[in-house]
Amino acid sequence: MSDVYRFGVSLEKPLIEAFDLHIKAQQYRNRSEAIRDLIREELLRKKWTEGGSVAGAIIMTYDHHKRELVSKLLDIQHDFHDIIISTQHVHLDHDHCLEVIAVKGNAADVEKLSTGLKVLVGVKHVSLSVSSAE
Ligand code: NI
């Protein structure tokens, strides 16, 4: 395990009270855990803006009867084959499919793939969840 550093933080009372209420609602056990997550999220956000390496999943649902949609989905996934690790396909019902696409690569490319899927006619919903790849 890496070394743990401790540091003091000075905050105005209303700010720490609001923070404590917020993290209690999210069921954090202590401030350290909440602050750790905030720092990680901020560093991940920085990666997005700077195009760093990320790993994550794109989850999408679509109507596979929509004209040419399946072939368009395959085309775009082949365009991004270098960042797609795996794809899981689930037939939800007669009309709808769920796809979970695991990705790893440059943040800007992951965003491009996600947006490219989202804008296709027949795609109902796309959500992107990412973590740092390091
Ligand atoms: Ni299907």
Side-chain angles (χ1 to χ4, degrees):
M1 195 184 155
S2 56
D3 294 336
V4 174
Y5 291 88
R6 289 189 176 80
F7 62 97
V9 179
S10 304
L11 294 174
E12 294 81 10
K13 201 166 178 255
L15 188 58
I16 192 64
E17 284 171 353
F19 185 67
D20 283 345
L21 273 177
H22 173 70
I23 66 175
K24 192 180 172 199
Q26 297 199 319
Q27 302 190 334
Y28 278 105
R29 280 175 300 172
N30 56 57
R31 289 176 184 153
S32 290
E33 279 182 20
I35 290 170
R36 230 176 269 138
D37 279 356
L38 283 177
I39 292 171
R40 285 196 193 106
E41 277 165 31
E42 183 57 27
L43 293 177
L44 185 60
R45 203 184 336 268
K46 185 167 173 272
K47 270 179 193 272
W48 273 112
T49 55
E50 293 176 352
S53 184
V54 295
I58 297 169
I59 300 163
M60 61 186 294
T61 52
Y62 60 90
D63 180 347
H64 77 100
H65 290 307
K66 259 308 181 235
R67 207 174 126 84
E68 292 175 15
L69 176 59
V70 174
S71 114
K72 284 178 189 163
L73 288 174
L74 283 176
D75 282 347
I76 188 167
Q77 290 190 42
H78 277 272
D79 289 344
F80 287 89
H81 69 89
D82 51 336
I83 62 164
I84 295 177
I85 302 166
S86 75
T87 304
Q88 182 178 27
H89 185 105
V90 178
H91 309 302
L92 286 179
D93 57 32
H94 186 262
D95 302 319
H96 300 101
C97 304
L98 166 76
E99 228 161 89
V100 181
I101 306 167
V103 290
K104 185 181 173 193
N106 183 277
D109 291 336
V110 170
E111 175 100 71
K112 249 185 258 171
L113 169 60
S114 176
T115 307
L117 296 167
K118 198 180 290 183
V119 298
L120 294 174
V121 174
V123 173
K124 305 273 180 192
H125 183 254
V126 173
S127 74
L128 169 63
S129 177
V130 290
S131 300
S132 171
E134 284 104 39

